């Protein structure tokens, strides 16, 4: 502990998790560190769960992104969370959101910091921040994620540190903390390639803001992704062929452009597909580094990877954290405001790969709402990237729930990424390159190349009748019928219907 607590004057701030949790006040806004189950505040929230057994306490919780079971499961189930933002990915939390018990503010992850600056999120009474060390000169070194912690630290009234001594000391030096100033007075962000370091290795805060320090040894909850299967492997192959065509067309080189890949099993599998390819010297400029990125570093394919968090399965956690020194000069963790900054995504020319729940025949994408009403996880950073990337790619299997659901529908039941933000769609069936195409030109590619064979005829039937009914309008729809596939699903547990043969 002494080695990790460089600022000796803080030694008398060390308290138990219970004592720290007692500082949190009912009805306040609390920021917490953590991004996709990495670098989460853990022991103080669990002490709050205990406290809630004998006392009514409700708080608004803002984080980087989704947290592990301590917050998004246990703290939620204990009834402590009034409002949650900006991202979650937990079955218990999701259930409470969809029951109306928790208010959820699902937001672009790059926007949060500006909302804090403007006082829309706040006033933040406490920040609970997991750190691997506090240096002699007062820098707080975060653990496996940075997320929104720097902006929360700037605006929070009080900071509670969870000094987690189970994280390797080799994390010190991996972070690059740069905070843009006030809008209107701000300089351009001084980064012209993704490998540059532009900030400090930790978060600088006035020492008097540190109210308490709790020593912790809780590891991060491992990621829950499942290994690639035949279909995700196929999607990866389709995407790699697309990149080869882009090289032939002179738009990309063998090093591609910096890659962003979203959360989840599909996105991870797609990235894994690079392992046996000819692409090399790749740079990853993403939000989350999942297993695949470290496998690609090991395979000598990725030369540098920057993100705002590292989220690994148990197996990879042991491998990577047990040998972090070997990766130290190849990885970098930044605030999510920087990893997801539109200015940088556009300047660096990112290739972004995110996952859709469903998409429609014109290319609008729903990434968040099951059948238009029930929240799944949230938009996360997918919108930050899709809109501003050089190439905005969406991947999804063409079907869900054993084939009862078509991921390609006449009209999406909720829009996260409009047709204007979606360049390329990949399913296990094939690819639709929508760039430069008008809505009616897209239909053919999306249905013929990407839809599941079970639903192609039904999609064409809808489109042809919509075309007739609107006299070939810019975006043909039969409004009474556009969402009928979702209605059918609710009533009959399937989107399939008998198509009348002409
Ligand atoms: O549910 O496991 O109960 O069967 O949705 O679907 O196919 O396992 O895909 O794990 O990659 O998640 C969009 C949710 C995909 C995720 C989403 C059901 C399906 C399954 C999961 P079951 P898969 P994944 C950067 C980027 C938004 C945030 C984002 C996500 C479950 O990728 O949250 O991109 N993205 N952030 O059965 C009903 C459909 C369905 C469906 C799939 N059409 N209708 N259910 N499912 N399609 C990271 C961050 O921002 C932090």
């Amino acid at each position: 502990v002494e080695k990790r607590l460089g600022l000796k004057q803080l030694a008398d701030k060390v308290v138990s998790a219970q004592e720290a949790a007692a500082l949190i006040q009912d009805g306040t806004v609390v920021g917490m560190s953590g991004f996709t189950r990495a670098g989460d505040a853990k022991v103080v929230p669990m002490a709050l769960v205990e406290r809630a057994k004998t006392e009514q306490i409700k708080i608004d919780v803002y984080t980087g992104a989704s947290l592990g079971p301590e917050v998004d499961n246990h703290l939620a189930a204990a009834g402590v969370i009034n409002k949650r933002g900006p991202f979650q990915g937990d079955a218990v939390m999701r259930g409470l959101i969809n029951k109306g018990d928790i208010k959820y503010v699902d937001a672009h992850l790059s926007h949060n910091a500006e909302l804090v600056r403007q006082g829309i999120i706040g006033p933040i009474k406490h920040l609970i921040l997991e750190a691997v060390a506090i240096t002699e000169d007062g820098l707080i070194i975060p653990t496996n994620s940075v997320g929104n912690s720097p902006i929360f630290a700037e605006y929070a009234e009080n900071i509670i540190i969870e000094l987690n001594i189970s994280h390797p000391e080799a994390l010190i030096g991996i972070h690059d903390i740069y905070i843009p100033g006030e809008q209107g007075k701000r300089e351009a962000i001084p980064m012209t390639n993704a490998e540059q370091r532009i900030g400090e290795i930790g978060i600088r805060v006035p020492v008097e803001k540190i109210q308490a320090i709790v020593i912790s040894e809780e590891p991060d909850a491992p990621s829950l992704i499942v290994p690639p299967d035949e279909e995700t492997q196929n999607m990866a192959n389709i995407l790699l062929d697309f990149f080869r065509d882009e090289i032939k067309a002179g738009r990309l080189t063998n090093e591609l452009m910096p890659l962003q890949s979203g959360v989840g099993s599909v996105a991870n599998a797609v990235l894994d597909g690079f392992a046996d390819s000819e692409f090399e010297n790749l740079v990853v400029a993403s939000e989350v580094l999942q297993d695949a990125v470290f496998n690609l570093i090991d395979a000598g394919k990725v030369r540098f990877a920057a993100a705002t968090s590292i989220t690994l399965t148990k197996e990879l956690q042991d491998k990577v954290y047990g040998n972090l020194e070997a990766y130290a000069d190849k990885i970098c963790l930044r605030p999510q405001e920087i990893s997801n900054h539109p200015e940088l995504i556009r300047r660096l020319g990112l290739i972004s790969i995110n996952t859709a729940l469903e998409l429609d025949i014109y290319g609008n994408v729903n990434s968040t709402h099951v059948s238009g009403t029930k929240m799944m996880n949230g938009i996360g950073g997918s919108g930050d990237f899709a809109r501003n990337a050089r190439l905005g790619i969406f991947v999804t299997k063409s079907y869900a729930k054993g084939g009862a659901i078509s991921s390609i529908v006449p009209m999406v039941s909720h829009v996260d990424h409009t047709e204007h933000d979606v360049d390329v769609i990949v399913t296990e069936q094939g690819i639709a390159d929508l760039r430069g195409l008008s809505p009616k030109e897209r239909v053919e590619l999306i249905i013929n190349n990407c839809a599941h064979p079970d639903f192609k005829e039904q999609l064409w039937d809808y489109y042809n009748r919509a075309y007739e009914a609107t006299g070939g309008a810019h975006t043909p729809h039969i409004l009474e019928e556009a969402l009928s596939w979702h209605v059918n699903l609710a009533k009959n547990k399937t989107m399939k219907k008998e198509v009348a043969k002409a």
Side-chain angles (χ1 to χ4, degrees):
V1 172
E2 266 176 37
K3 248 171 68 193
R4 302 289 184 97
L5 197 52
L7 208 56
K8 298 302 167 209
Q9 73 206 76
L10 289 174
D12 62 353
K13 299 271 172 140
V14 175
V15 298
S16 68
Q18 291 71 25
E19 288 169 294
L23 299 168
I24 306 292
Q25 292 159 24
D26 184 38
T28 57
V29 178
V30 178
M32 293 188 194
S33 66
F35 196 105
T36 53
R37 304 164 80 90
D40 303 4
K42 294 184 267 285
V43 292
V44 178
M46 283 311 285
L48 264 180
V49 172
E50 281 305 308
R51 192 180 143 194
K53 286 180 182 162
T54 56
E55 191 187 331
Q56 163 78 21
I57 174 162
K58 261 198 194 297
I59 54 174
D60 292 356
V61 175
Y62 289 92
T63 56
S66 54
L67 263 58
E70 289 86 359
V71 171
D72 283 347
N73 181 322
H74 301 302
L75 198 63
V80 177
I81 302 181
N82 170 57
K83 187 177 268 188
R84 177 80 174 92
F87 189 77
Q88 60 77 40
D90 183 273
V92 169
M93 169 70 76
R94 180 184 299 143
L96 291 164
I97 290 168
N98 287 320
K99 249 178 82 190
D101 288 354
I102 292 178
K103 303 176 194 83
Y104 178 44
V105 189
D106 169 28
H108 295 302
L109 296 186
S110 75
H111 285 188
N112 312 141
E114 309 290 13
L115 294 180
V116 172
R117 285 190 186 95
Q118 292 170 39
I120 304 287
I121 295 176
I124 301 169
K125 191 79 185 167
H126 280 94
L127 163 64
I128 309 174
L129 169 54
E130 190 185 72
V132 64
I134 303 174
T135 63
E136 274 171 37
D137 55 350
L139 283 177
I140 303 173
I141 313 292
T143 59
N144 299 329
S145 70
V146 178
N148 276 319
S149 296
I151 194 73
F152 289 162
E154 191 176 326
Y155 282 82
E157 220 173 286
N158 306 287
I159 300 175
I160 297 170
I161 307 273
E162 288 192 9
L163 191 63
N164 192 324
I165 55 175
S166 77
H167 287 292
E169 236 172 286
L171 276 170
I172 302 170
I174 277 177
H175 309 88
D176 181 34
I177 311 297
Y178 175 90
I179 310 181
E182 290 268 330
Q183 281 175 324
K185 304 173 197 155
R186 188 180 285 180
E187 301 285 321
I189 300 172
M191 189 189 297
T192 50
N193 81 64
E195 290 155 86
Q196 251 169 311
R197 291 181 165 275
I198 58 173
E200 293 194 282
I201 62 160
I203 304 171
R204 198 169 284 287
V205 301
V207 68
E208 57 281 6
K209 267 197 191 183
I210 301 178
Q211 195 183 24
I213 297 173
V214 178
I215 310 301
S216 155
E217 291 187 69
E218 274 312 302
D220 282 332
S223 118
L224 301 171
I225 53 166
V226 297
D229 59 25
E230 203 180 311
E231 286 177 334
T232 52
Q233 187 62 50
N234 200 24
M235 288 153 78
N237 292 339
I238 291 167
L239 202 51
L240 294 179
D241 278 341
F242 167 75
F243 291 141
R244 290 181 185 113
D245 288 343
E246 286 295 289
I247 294 172
K248 278 190 210 129
R251 285 189 285 266
L252 288 175
T253 71
N254 211 31
E255 295 184 10
L256 302 179
M257 293 295 267
L259 292 166
Q260 177 264 336
S261 134
V263 282
S265 309
V266 174
N268 185 66
V270 167
L271 216 49
D272 243 355
F274 279 99
D276 300 319
S277 75
E278 72 280 24
F279 299 100
E280 55 190 10
N281 227 0
L282 301 170
V283 170
V284 172
S286 200
E287 194 176 83
V288 183
L289 304 180
Q290 299 193 105
D291 290 16
V293 170
F294 289 88
N295 293 334
L296 291 175
I297 293 177
D298 288 348
K301 294 283 180 193
V302 165
R303 73 164 191 266
F304 192 81
T308 193
S309 96
I310 302 174
T311 303
L312 303 172
T313 58
K314 181 78 183 72
E315 191 192 341
L316 263 279
Q317 276 187 352
D318 294 344
K319 183 173 149 194
V320 171
Y321 299 139
N323 187 24
L324 197 61
E325 292 80 1
Y327 298 97
D329 61 339
K330 297 190 185 68
I331 58 175
C332 170
L333 291 179
R334 302 184 171 131
Q336 72 197 62
E337 183 177 22
I338 300 300
S339 61
N340 290 27
H341 206 294
E343 177 183 333
L344 297 174
I345 294 167
R346 183 70 66 88
R347 184 183 299 154
L348 302 176
L350 263 55
I351 296 175
S352 103
I353 307 164
N354 292 288
T355 314
L357 273 181
E358 64 174 6
L359 55 102
D360 67 29
I361 54 175
Y362 299 112
N364 298 287
V365 166
N366 171 10
S367 287
T368 57
H369 284 68
V370 173
S371 282
T373 55
K374 289 216 154 51
M375 174 52 65
M376 181 63 144
N377 298 329
I379 193 166
S382 54
D384 293 324
F385 289 100
R387 173 157 294 178
N388 300 295
R390 173 187 174 106
L391 249 178
I393 300 168
F394 280 89
V395 295
T396 177
K397 288 192 184 177
S398 68
Y399 66 94
K401 304 294 173 203
I405 295 177
S406 172
S407 308
I408 295 165
V409 290
M411 183 187 263
V412 283
S413 55
H414 175 94
V415 193
D416 292 295
H417 310 293
T418 73
E419 50 164 330
H420 318 283
D421 298 330
V422 180
D423 293 324
V424 175
I425 289 163
V426 177
T427 70
E428 82 291 349
Q429 301 293 326
I431 186 165
D433 179 356
L434 308 178
R435 292 173 298 172
L437 299 185
S438 67
K440 292 197 289 285
E441 290 177 297
R442 292 178 210 145
V443 173
E444 185 168 350
L445 290 182
I446 294 176
I447 300 180
N448 286 352
N449 297 1
C450 297
H452 192 276
D454 287 359
F455 290 101
K456 276 188 183 165
E457 199 183 338
Q458 204 175 313
L459 285 165
W460 274 122
D461 172 61
Y462 173 82
Y463 173 73
N464 289 333
R465 286 185 295 109
Y467 188 96
E468 286 298 318
T470 57
H474 182 65
T475 304
H477 268 305
I478 303 169
L479 295 180
E480 298 86 337
E481 209 181 308
L483 296 174
S484 65
W485 293 36
H486 302 85
V487 176
N488 188 17
L489 178 67
K491 279 193 188 144
N492 304 315
K493 296 196 163 48
T494 179
M495 285 185 172
K496 283 187 189 140
K497 70 166 192 187
E498 290 299 316
V499 178
K501 294 268 178 334

